[in-house]
Amino acid sequence: MSLEYQFFCPLKHGVHARPATELSRRASAFRSDVRIVNGRTGQSSNAKSLLSLVGADFRHDDPCVLDISGDDQADALRELRTFIEQEFAGLDIAVEDDGRRVVDHRLPPSLRMCNPTYLRGRPVVSGIVEGAVVHLATQRVNPELIEASATPVDVEMDRLAGGFTALVSELTARKARASSLEAGAILDAHIAIANDPEFRDQIESSVREGQSVAVAIQSAKAYYESLLSNAGSRLIEERQLDLRDVCDQLLRSVYGKAAFVSQNGQHLPESAIAIAEELTPQQFLELDKSRIRGLIVNKIGMTSHTAVLARAAGVPMICDLQKSSIVLTDGRFAVLDGDHAILVVDPSGSIQRYYQREQTKRTRLRQQQRARAQLQAATADGETVRVFANAMSPLEVKKAIDAGADGIGLYRTEWMFLDRPAPPTEGEQFETLAEAVRAAQGKPVVIRLLDVGGDKPVPYLNLPVEENPFLGYRGARIYPEIERVVRGQVRAILRASALGRVRMLVPMIATVAEMQWVRSLVADVMDELNQEGVDFDRELEIGAMVETPAAGLVIAQLARVADFFSIGSNDLIQYLLAADRGNERVRGLQTPYHPAVVAFLKAIVDQAVRAQRDISICGEIAGQSEYLPLLLGIGLRSLSSEPTAVSVVKARVGDYDASDCETMVQTAMTAVDAGSVRTLCAKLQVRPKSRPLIEPNVVLFDSTAGTREEAIKDLVDNLLIQGRIHDPIDIEEAVWTREKQSSTSVGYGIAIPHGRSRQVLANTISFLRLKEPINWDDGAEDAVRFVFLLTIRDSEADQSHMTILSQLARRIMQDEFRKGLEYCETPTAVVEHIRNHINLNDVETTAGG
Amino acid sequence: MKFVAVTGCPTGIAHTYMAAEQLEKTARELGHEIQVETQGAMGIENELSAAAIAGADAVILAADIAIEGADRFDGKTKIEVPVQTAIKEAGSIFARAGAVK
């Protein structure tokens, strides 16, 4: 006689993998048969089988009957009943937000108000693309295995048993080494699937019926995939990936490497947003870039080499997509927004229109910035700032110089050495470097010596695989062991130095001796070249990278052997804060806003200035304009960013007073935490610009905006393009905050949205004439044709401008003014008309502050 | 009739002045006298004197904010409206004033 226990499913998200794993584990501890019948569907499942449980689609409040029969049924019932009553519900998870990611990047109101369905990630490469989501398969099962006929049943059964044993012990061993809770949980789920009695039974019976192990695994995979994809819960659908993984690993443990062939030429849709768990640089290079529009990679730090390649190829990319109940089935249409690090799924018409406007803005902004980028950048108070680019190929050098870079601040040479069986010859290296130096058109190129370690695959160097490669054998530390390779590279660099302005940079310096070693090698090679009669720059400067805290504290001593310095902020920050940049759980610590980072960078720069050595910074923060006030305040006057960021950085430099930044940094160094420093930076007043309140370039005719959101976005975007505002999101927020208090539609077909913000560089009256009148807000009785946007600098001293605005407000109430506006057919006419009715002169001569 | 009025809106950039303009214009058209004080981003302008208040038949308060010096109008006939009403239906405000008087 079996025992029964009735209950209602207490899990809000149904029985998904996590509770199912735990229930099956508890049930498996007993000899009795344990089944659960779902009263809603009538389906009975084996409670010892994770797959059987999740496949049965138990939903919240489903009536369930636990049915136990066997010699230990009484114990089993007691135990499982307690488990269900007390622990089961606690195994549910909050799906929508895993809470680990601090929301840092804001979405603009004009996007937010379109109510996008999106997943957040972390930004890697900016840019916006739309396309169909596709999961990249980097390998597929070897077809020969599937076609081969089965060996005798007992042989196949033995293979399978051996495969399972090997798989479980390997997974268990990996679990023991798992670096994070998340990784451990995934491995637990994999172990549970590998041990699942139903899963094993399914494969074993196929083999007993005469199928080969390979065919049996593949059919079990297909069976459970369809079972899981029919389950009502999206959480369960996601388990398909785990199932696929376990099946593939099982195949591998039975057949070894021969189980798979690498997958090239996977069919990709014409515009694909590719999703991959991991993507090696090699795999990235093999992708069909004509179809891959965007990339989402889960396991990647900001500095992974795949990211560097994607940036170079202009493929927008984000990483660490948040866990969510949104299932990204292949073919689902989405927009990848690399700027805000989100993937917007099934974008509505209004979202697509938003992104079209955004693309237009980006294009115009880029043109504007490019045009200005050829000029020397200087702060508002006249300090010259040189903006260099990081590059790793002659093509990138060319792009960077075209984009206005003052030179190449970091030329990475690793690329010539990776993914090949032998090091490149001196000749090969010289050819590439010579091309890079020529592409710089006489501007300086800082070439960094080989920077590799255990984390980069260079098989012929025989570098040991290390527990912690970032604290290991890498950079300059390995040079004595690979002297022949370094010598070849030094020769190539010296030869290239005859063709332009070349400097040499040595990575990962921690001691003076390391620099001395390189210097004497260079001196030796110079002698060699002299004797050979080969031309080179005899004055070639050799610099040290400052990426270890040790180097940062002995700049004066290093200055005796280094002609210049370059701060590698990515590594320096990770070493200073003792926080691995690839480790999600300490990522919160990884911020340049930490007062320790600010103080340390300042100390490094001060030492270099005292030693009369050039110093620049070449980490990611050099290209992220939010950190610009910090870098300027620290005293850096030379930055090296990714080529795409050069024009942006150059455009931003002029927004700040170097002296304001320096004062701010003094406070930042003594701040309590990173949050306070971030606030200090954000609050720093951007320098006002002296501009007329209204000019033809802020008058927009025949706008196609169809909503209030689009009209405001068009106007704000134009202000950004005209360099009249700093942070457009802040401006939009200010305008919308006002708009939400009460509509600014004032009748007569006119709306006057307005806002005050510290992010305004120049007070402006912008004007928009709509092609088709729009319904400004639900309450508005008449449609709006003319929009005046007033953007005012949020500071005390602007009363005179307020006079102008109050005059404008009054004029709008006058018929004559409005009629005149109707007759204006050009932006210039609008400006004239407004000037005729409002006296702007007094104000503009005093403008600028 | 003789009126005094105060206009004010949350940001004090536009509606305060539009309402003032509209009240002045409409009063002229209807043959009323009016003095309008604005409480906007520039602070109080065209401030109403005690005499002006005393001499007014009614006070129009067209504001979406708590106005400064509201006690100046204690005991007077007050017409309180949102600032939008002064911009869009100023005529109706004066009509109301006629009715309450």
Side-chain angles (χ1 to χ4, degrees), chain A residues 3 55 106 232 279 305 398 525 569 599 602 610 668 780 813 824:
Chain A
L3 296 175
R106 309 156 298 157
L279 197 68
H305 288 115
K398 185 181 177 315
V525 173
S569 53
K602 176 88 167 58
R610 272 199 299 277
M813 292 289 103
C824 291

Side-chain angles (χ1 to χ4, degrees), chain B residues 53-92:
Chain B
I53 296 171
D57 298 312
V59 181
I60 298 171
L61 302 177
D64 293 338
I65 51 167
I67 61 159
E68 305 258 332
D71 53 353
R72 287 178 290 169
F73 311 116
D74 286 349
K76 301 292 292 184
T77 302
K78 276 180 281 192
I79 300 143
E80 294 181 62
V81 292
V83 71
Q84 282 283 15
T85 310
I87 294 172
K88 293 188 175 171
E89 301 152 32
S92 73

Side-chain angles (χ1 to χ4, degrees), chain A residues 738 741 743 745-748 752 754 756 781 790 799 802-803 806 809-810 813-814, chain B residues 10-15 17-18 20-22 24-25 38 41-42 64 84 87-88:
Chain A
R738 170 64 191 87
Q741 286 170 344
S743 165
S745 155
V746 294
Y748 312 105
I752 47 167
H754 50 270
R756 298 168 70 113
E781 56 259 50
L790 318 183
Q799 292 300 317
M802 292 309 306
T803 317
S806 66
R810 283 172 179 272
M813 292 289 103
Q814 296 170 357
Chain B
T11 46
I13 292 179
H15 288 66
Y17 306 101
M18 293 170 65
E21 180 74 19
Q22 189 73 336
E24 289 166 8
K25 196 176 81 174
T38 51
M42 290 181 293
D64 293 338
Q84 282 283 15
I87 294 172
K88 293 188 175 171

Side-chain angles (χ1 to χ4, degrees), chain A residues 332-388:
Chain A
R332 195 162 180 182
F333 185 60
V335 174
L336 178 69
D337 177 343
D339 297 13
H340 299 108
I342 55 172
L343 180 74
V344 181
V345 292
D346 308 332
S348 62
S350 62
I351 294 172
Q352 290 184 45
R353 279 199 305 280
Y354 165 85
Y355 278 113
Q356 281 157 12
R357 303 190 116 73
E358 193 63 15
Q359 291 285 27
T360 311
K361 175 189 89 178
R362 288 176 60 95
T363 311
R364 289 185 57 199
L365 196 58
R366 214 170 22 243
Q367 287 164 354
Q368 281 276 350
Q369 287 173 339
R370 291 220 154 191
R372 283 185 225 142
Q374 301 303 331
L375 307 170
Q376 179 78 61
T379 60
D381 51 352
E383 293 260 355
T384 300
V385 176
R386 288 177 302 165
V387 184
F388 299 99

